[in-house]
């Protein structure tokens, strides 16, 4: 990915989102765009117009942390957006922040017995491991039943992004499909900023951009986000609607991979439906030991 183009488009897209009113500035007459002008961002950040214009052209290498912080404040970036800007700057300096060893094989993650012991110990929630490419690498028993529409009959490693944008079944599985689509792309965009030389991610973005107009449009918006925690709604083909809380935990032994856990509020209808799904999984589905390619 072209780092200078990424920086330019990211800064321009954030500037377009901040109106003078939001920035506490007078709108004035004859504005051709709804967002801030470069001169206004430069003033808010306390840098020269020429220097900010240089940054927005993508020449961000060598920018100091204080300048990046000032630009982040001027553009009212949230924590994830600020982190993305810093990641792009460090990548421009030749120092990606991913912490990943190039050439690491995901097979190491999937084949580690202790990881599967951890997943197997989680019996009342959905637990799975995904990597920075949105590949579903391993699940617990309930997770295999939950993601049965995605996992299917095997083949190549199941991929959450491909399922989201290329499989019509995702429209039923995700009642809030548009929200999920935006989240998926924004997470991938943040990953791309952390490691712009990740060929696997580049190939996935290219594939989805070619095959999905929606993905291509969302990718062009340059939105970024982290997953963290929250609540999601699903429509499972076996048990119906599930409202689940999620927590994302980084796997420090494998930078780029995370452990996701979905649970239901105790005593809720979703908790009862998860128990029904677990019963269905135990009696109706032949369970493989792990999800892998």
């Amino acid at each position: 990915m072209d780092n200078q183009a990424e920086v330019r488009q990211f800064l321009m897209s954030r500037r377009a989102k901040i109106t003078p009113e939001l920035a506490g500035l007078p709108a004035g007459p004859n504005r051709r765009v709804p967002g801030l002008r470069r001169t206004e961002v430069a003033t808010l950040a306390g840098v020269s117009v020429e220097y900010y214009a240089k940054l927005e052209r993508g020449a961000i290498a060598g920018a100091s942390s204080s300048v990046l912080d000032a630009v982040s404040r001027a553009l009212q970036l949230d924590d994830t957006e600020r982190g993305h800007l810093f990641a792009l700057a460090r990548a421009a300096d030749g120092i990606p922040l991913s912490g990943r060893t190039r050439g690491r094989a995901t097979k190491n993650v999937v084949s580690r017995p202790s990881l599967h012991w951890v997943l197997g110990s989680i019996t009342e929630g959905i637990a799975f491991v995904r990597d920075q490419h949105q590949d579903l690498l391993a699940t617990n028993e309930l997770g295999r039943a939950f993601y049965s529409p995605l996992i299917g009959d095997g083949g190549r490693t199941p991929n959450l992004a491909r399922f989201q944008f290329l499989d019509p079944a995702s429209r039923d599985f995700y009642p809030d499909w548009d929200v999920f689509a935006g989240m998926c792309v924004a997470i991938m965009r943040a990953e791309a900023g952390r490691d712009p030389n990740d060929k696997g991610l580049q190939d996935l973005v290219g594939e989805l951009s070619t095959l999905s107009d929606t993905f291509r449009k969302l990718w062009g918006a340059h939105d970024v986000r982290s997953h963290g925690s929250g609540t999601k709604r699903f429509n499972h083909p076996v048990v119906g609607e599930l409202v689940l809380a999620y927590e994302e935990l980084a796997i420090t032994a494998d930078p780029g991979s995370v452990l996701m856990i979905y649970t239901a509020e105790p005593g809720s209808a979703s908790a009862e439906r998860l128990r029904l799904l677990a019963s269905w999984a135990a009696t109706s589905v032949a369970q493989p030991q792990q999800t892998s390619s």
Side-chain angles (χ1 to χ4, degrees), residues 14-229:
R14 299 312 95 176
R15 178 164 61 84
K17 289 190 171 187
I18 303 297
T19 64
E21 291 78 11
L22 286 173
L25 299 173
N30 303 320
R31 297 191 71 90
R32 292 181 292 175
V33 294
L36 294 179
R37 299 183 175 110
R38 290 189 184 90
T39 54
E40 292 168 332
V41 176
T43 299
L44 291 169
V47 299
S48 70
V49 176
E50 292 77 11
Y51 186 71
Y52 178 74
K54 173 186 172 184
L55 294 180
E56 200 172 277
R57 288 195 299 271
I60 201 171
S64 67
S65 295
S66 60
V67 166
L68 296 175
D69 270 329
V71 171
S72 298
R73 288 192 298 271
L75 294 175
Q76 301 183 19
L77 303 186
D78 62 25
D79 289 344
T80 303
E81 291 170 327
R82 177 184 177 277
H84 185 62
L85 180 62
F86 270 73
L88 291 173
R90 299 290 81 82
D93 289 334
I95 314 171
L97 297 182
S98 66
R100 300 168 196 148
T101 301
R102 291 186 182 179
R104 180 196 300 273
T106 55
K107 186 170 71 172
N108 294 339
V109 182
V110 177
S111 63
R112 195 165 65 245
S114 59
L115 180 60
H116 292 279
W117 299 340
V118 169
L119 289 170
S121 71
I122 301 171
T123 58
E124 295 188 3
I126 296 155
F128 62 94
V129 175
R130 70 156 177 83
D131 66 10
Q132 69 272 22
H133 305 147
Q134 299 293 308
D135 284 335
L136 191 66
L137 299 179
T139 70
N140 67 351
E141 183 174 316
L142 188 53
R144 285 189 288 272
F146 176 72
Y147 274 121
S148 55
L150 165 62
I151 294 172
D153 297 325
R156 68 178 175 179
T157 302
N159 182 275
L160 292 162
R162 287 193 185 95
F163 177 67
Q164 175 80 50
F165 291 99
L166 305 182
D167 192 330
S170 69
R171 296 277 182 172
D172 293 326
F173 191 68
Y174 302 131
D176 306 307
W177 191 90
D178 291 339
V179 174
F180 274 71
M183 291 173 64
C184 179
V185 176
I187 290 167
M188 291 173 64
R189 175 62 82 175
E191 289 285 358
R194 281 188 280 272
D195 192 351
N197 298 309
D198 186 330
K199 187 177 185 303
L201 186 55
Q202 290 177 19
D203 290 345
L204 179 60
V205 169
E207 175 189 349
L208 296 177
S209 295
T210 300
L211 299 176
S212 170
D213 291 339
T214 302
F215 179 89
R216 185 166 57 252
K217 179 180 178 181
L218 290 171
W219 187 257
H222 286 265
D223 292 333
V224 294
R225 67 164 288 153
S226 55
H227 215 170
S229 64

Side-chain angles (χ1 to χ4, degrees), residues 225-275:
R225 67 164 288 153
S226 55
H227 215 170
S229 64
T231 302
K232 292 182 178 180
R233 189 165 63 103
F234 303 90
N235 180 35
H236 196 275
V238 174
V239 297
E241 183 176 87
L242 292 166
V243 179
L244 304 175
Y246 64 87
E247 294 285 341
E248 179 184 88
L249 308 174
I251 301 177
T252 56
D254 300 288
S257 295
V258 298
L259 171 63
M260 292 290 301
I261 302 175
Y262 289 101
T263 55
E265 181 181 353
S268 66
S270 292
E272 177 59 28
R273 289 171 186 151
L274 271 188
R275 284 191 288 271

